[in-house]
Amino acid sequence: MNVNEVSVNGSANGVSCESGTKSAGKRSNGLCNPVKDNSSYGSYEMVEEIATYLLERTRIRPRCGIICGSGLGCLADQLTDVDSFDYDAIPHFPVSTVAGHRGRLVFGRLGGVPVVCMQGRFHYYEGYSLAKCSMPVRVMRLVGCTHLIATNAAGAINSRFRVGDIMLIRDHVNLMGFAGNCPLLGPNDDRFGPRFLGMAKAYEPALLAVAKGAARQMPGMDDLLHEGVYCCVGGPNFETVAEGRLMALLGVDAIGMSTVHEIITARHCGMTCFAFSLITNMCTMSYDEEEEHCHETFVDVGRQLEGRICELVARVVASIGESCSETPLAK
Ligand SMILES: O=P(O)(O)O[C@@H]1C[C@H](O)[C@@H](CO)O1
């Protein structure tokens, strides 16, 4: 059996307290010592229990999961018919520790399409394993999502990009994977997906085409839009000049601290993926440049582009809604 065949019927009872998380009625600070953290965090039963907990408390049956990046929480604010769950109220869920990441799961409708938004994500530098950072993607799958939209704030390596541009992610470089760190480390549970998986079409070309078509219809948007390669680093420090230059040699267009492990996890459980980066800064590529990296400024860039970004996402979600109504959702 795999996730495409399984319907959620686990029980929300009998929740146990795991190290570095919180379970019903019991709390810790939600942080893990990465050394002690279990790389294969999130058994099928645990994820199923979280999904059941949520489905018992909302009538929304989402088709698409949306992860809001730094400063992009506005995406969740667009939803109607909302049921929201603070992360610290959901059994086994980690908690957000980064400014600009609100820390709640929001079920609702975007233009009529049922979706669930992570208003705040988990990052490796917060002390969570990659498996734990991306565990909510599996929850999204078990509550019924067939599609994932991941968004992030990123620094531009590509000198043609400008702050405020949007880069549709065509592909990524899994730098942390090169170093042996991957959300799928540890025993594989075939109910989620296969042991080995191809990543050549990680980002769905049809959704990239939809986004580009939508941008052409939005005044001024076409000029802001690029397509490129994203790379995730562990953070929380930004890159040295030498590292920035190395990224350019590797063919990377923008660098961030998320998304790659979420997409790997989503592809593992058969989800169709779309992602984009909001360019919040230019990476420092020369020793003569003043480094002007500031998380709060990055969050502000997101706020300034809220309207356009929300419209872009709404249009992609609408097209997902249309494709889902043509293809019946697997149980
Ligand atoms: O959650 P995302 O990837 O959007 O967050 C980026 C990377 C760091 O967490 C933070 C740096 O300002 O923004």
Side-chain angles (χ1 to χ4, degrees):
M1 265 205 304
N2 62 39
V3 283
N4 296 317
E5 299 162 333
V6 170
S7 62
V8 175
N9 57 8
S11 156
N13 298 326
V15 180
S16 66
C17 189
E18 303 270 333
S19 144
T21 50
K22 160 216 54 44
S23 65
K26 249 181 168 181
R27 260 161 217 235
S28 75
N29 67 3
L31 292 173
C32 295
N33 176 342
V35 178
K36 286 190 190 149
D37 199 3
N38 179 2
S39 58
S40 59
Y41 180 86
S43 67
Y44 191 90
E45 287 70 25
M46 178 198 283
V47 177
E48 191 174 49
E49 182 188 321
I50 298 170
T52 302
Y53 174 92
L54 296 165
L55 290 175
E56 282 174 350
R57 288 162 178 80
T58 178
R59 276 196 242 165
I60 301 286
R61 295 294 176 261
R63 300 294 180 107
C64 178
I66 302 172
I67 304 178
C68 305
S70 290
L72 298 171
C74 57
L75 292 169
D77 296 331
Q78 306 305 305
L79 307 193
T80 55
D81 302 333
V82 161
D83 286 315
S84 71
F85 302 87
D86 289 343
Y87 292 158
D88 68 2
I90 306 173
H92 306 295
F93 237 66
V95 291
S96 287
T97 68
V98 183
H101 289 260
R102 169 93 190 248
R104 59 180 194 172
L105 209 51
V106 186
F107 287 74
R109 292 178 195 282
L110 189 57
V113 181
V115 300
V116 55
C117 277
M118 279 183 80
Q119 204 172 26
R121 62 149 60 85
F122 308 111
H123 305 86
Y124 188 70
Y125 62 78
E126 292 176 76
Y128 300 125
S129 70
L130 291 182
K132 200 166 192 170
C133 290
S134 14
M135 182 273 284
V137 172
R138 289 179 163 174
V139 172
M140 286 173 162
R141 181 65 193 100
L142 287 202
V143 298
C145 296
T146 51
H147 290 70
L148 177 70
I149 298 180
T151 70
N152 60 59
I157 291 289
N158 189 322
S159 59
R160 288 184 300 111
F161 295 0
R162 292 287 167 263
V163 171
D165 284 355
I166 291 165
M167 183 187 82
L168 304 179
I169 302 182
R170 184 192 339 119
D171 204 347
H172 69 225
V173 172
N174 182 12
L175 199 66
M176 296 173 79
F178 287 4
N181 198 355
C182 175
L184 305 180
L185 287 183
N188 187 62
D189 190 327
D190 294 345
R191 289 173 294 180
F192 284 126
R195 170 77 288 185
F196 300 106
L197 72 151
M199 287 294 290
K201 287 235 173 78
Y203 300 87
E204 174 57 43
L207 291 178
L208 275 168
V210 167
K212 284 192 269 184
R216 279 194 288 273
Q217 292 166 9
M218 294 166 59
M221 187 65 161
D222 211 17
D223 297 339
L224 302 183
L225 210 69
H226 305 275
E227 215 179 298
V229 175
Y230 174 87
C231 180
C232 169
V233 292
N237 57 289
F238 297 109
E239 298 66 43
T240 63
V241 171
E243 287 163 349
R245 290 177 179 174
L246 175 66
M247 295 291 178
L249 288 176
L250 290 177
V252 169
D253 295 294
I255 313 184
M257 301 177 194
S258 65
T259 304
V260 167
H261 37 279
E262 296 158 352
I263 297 293
I264 292 171
T265 303
R267 293 299 297 145
H268 182 247
C269 60
M271 295 171 84
T272 303
C273 298
F274 170 75
F276 66 85
S277 299
L278 172 64
I279 303 300
T280 51
N281 59 290
M282 302 303 292
C283 291
T284 314
M285 301 298 275
S286 136
Y287 297 105
D288 302 329
E289 285 168 40
E290 219 33 67
E291 191 181 30
E292 288 175 355
H293 293 2
C294 161
H295 178 71
E296 286 67 32
T297 314
F298 298 172
V299 170
D300 278 346
V301 176
R303 285 206 194 101
Q304 285 161 29
L305 283 152
E306 247 175 44
R308 287 176 180 187
I309 288 171
C310 289
E311 185 173 345
L312 183 70
V313 170
R315 288 180 185 233
V316 174
V317 167
S319 103
I320 291 171
E322 282 162 24
S323 70
C324 285
S325 62
E326 286 156 19
T327 327
L329 189 67
K331 263 208 277 174

